[in-house]
């Protein structure tokens, strides 16, 4: 299908995943002089959590103007369903006593990870959050919405299109869509990595174990018919 958009260049994923070993503690030697401080910090955190198989990839400036297939090619991802985004959501109706994430079963904020090729279902997410503490808290105290960018930035230290649970300033309970968890085990799913043009790929099982992510059915059942129209 003609899109009128430039053809993305052929970009090979970083060889980092193939060379990281459990005994590595200083990722700088594997990533070369071009690695940014953010990239090194995220790599160090992954290693400290026991994640040794991952890869970083820089993407060109027009990346977000491309359809999902163009982004897939740029990352070398297995499919468009492996392209994911992280977002901070806030419980706008949380009790006044709930102001942070000190109670992981009743936090003020949640880090949600879904595929670009899926739509978040806020009602499913609300039902899950309510059940998280055995439904002890009345439903009237739950209403999950996208957090304002200034709150997201304050909590994570990252700007829009760079948000990730890896290296986040605050420890925010992480929710991973069940659709991502169902991807083939031998393929990387891809996330933002702290900078707008930096992505990180890793295995779902490694991520879930390292970050204690909740695997949740939090998207609509249908898949968008026109994946070419998805942006952001």
């Amino acid at each position: 299908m003609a899109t009128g958009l430039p053809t993305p260049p052929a970009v090979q994923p970083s060889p980092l995943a193939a060379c990281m070993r459990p005994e590595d503690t200083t990722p700088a030697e594997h990533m070369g002089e071009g690695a940014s401080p953010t990239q090194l910090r995220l790599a160090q955190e992954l290693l400290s959590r026991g994640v040794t198989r991952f890869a970083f990839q820089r993407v060109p400036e027009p990346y977000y103007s491309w359809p999902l297939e163009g982004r897939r090619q740029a990352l070398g991802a297995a499919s468009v369903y492996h392209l994911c985004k992280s977002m901070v959501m806030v419980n706008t109706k949380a009790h006044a006593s709930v102001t942070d994430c000190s109670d992981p079963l009743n936090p003020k904020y949640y880090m949600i990870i879904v595929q670009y090729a899926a739509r978040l279902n806020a009602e499913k997410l609300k039902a899950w959050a309510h059940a998280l503490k055995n439904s002890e808290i009345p439903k009237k105290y739950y209403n999950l919405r996208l957090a304002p960018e200034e709150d997201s930035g304050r909590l994570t230290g990252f700007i829009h299109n760079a948000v990730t649970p890896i290296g986040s300033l605050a420890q925010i309970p992480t929710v991973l869509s069940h659709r991502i968890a169902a991807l083939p085990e031998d393929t990387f799913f891809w996330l933002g990595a702290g900078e707008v043009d930096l992505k990180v790929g890793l295995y779902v099982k490694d991520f879930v174990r390292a970050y204690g992510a909740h695997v949740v059915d939090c998207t609509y059942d249908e898949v968008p018919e026109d994946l070419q129209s998805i942006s952001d």
Side-chain angles (χ1 to χ4, degrees):
M1 177 184 297
T3 63
L5 296 174
T7 301
V11 182
Q12 294 300 317
S14 162
L16 179 62
C19 63
M20 299 307 290
R21 303 181 303 276
E23 64 270 25
D24 289 325
T25 56
T26 55
E29 63 183 291
H30 300 287
M31 298 165 68
E33 297 180 356
S36 69
T38 297
Q39 188 174 348
L40 292 172
R41 181 168 66 86
L42 267 60
Q44 188 63 64
E45 176 171 306
L46 287 169
L47 289 170
S48 71
R49 290 175 179 258
V51 179
T52 60
R53 301 174 298 178
F54 55 90
F56 286 97
Q57 180 64 62
R58 289 283 175 189
V59 296
E61 183 177 352
Y63 177 84
Y64 284 103
S65 69
W66 294 339
L68 293 186
E69 175 56 25
R71 303 182 201 180
R72 183 202 69 76
Q73 292 177 30
L75 291 172
S79 77
V80 296
Y81 302 104
H82 289 70
L83 308 180
C84 306
K85 58 183 175 180
S86 307
M87 65 190 89
V88 176
M89 299 195 72
V90 57
N91 183 359
T92 62
K93 290 189 177 180
H95 189 274
S97 62
V98 179
T99 60
D100 55 25
C101 300
S102 56
D103 182 354
L105 299 181
N106 185 32
K108 177 76 170 180
Y109 301 95
Y110 301 80
M111 177 76 73
I112 313 298
I113 304 174
V114 297
Q115 297 162 312
Y116 273 99
R119 288 196 303 132
L120 180 69
N121 187 319
E123 289 304 311
K124 283 186 177 181
L125 192 60
K126 174 182 174 180
W128 169 81
H130 176 245
L132 194 57
K133 205 162 187 175
N134 298 319
S135 302
E136 296 175 3
I137 302 170
K139 286 186 177 180
K140 68 178 182 179
Y141 289 114
Y142 290 92
N143 183 54
L144 275 61
R145 293 291 182 265
L146 188 66
E149 284 193 29
E150 57 268 28
D151 288 349
S152 177
R154 171 177 57 83
L155 291 164
T156 67
F158 305 128
I159 64 174
H160 180 61
N161 284 335
V163 173
T164 178
I166 306 168
S168 173
L169 296 178
Q171 296 298 306
I172 307 172
T174 300
V175 175
L176 184 79
S177 167
H178 73 303
R179 292 182 181 274
I180 301 173
L183 293 170
E185 294 184 1
D186 60 346
T187 56
F188 279 178
F189 78 107
W190 291 85
L191 292 169
E195 299 174 16
V196 174
D197 65 343
L198 185 63
K199 307 300 174 186
V200 62
L202 62 166
Y203 294 118
V204 171
K205 282 190 174 181
D206 289 348
F207 175 80
V208 171
R209 173 187 50 76
Y211 287 87
H214 301 276
V215 177
V216 178
D217 179 357
C218 60
T219 59
Y220 284 95
D221 294 333
E222 72 275 8
V223 174
E225 292 183 3
D226 186 7
L227 296 181
Q228 299 284 356
S229 66
I230 298 175
S231 60
D232 197 20

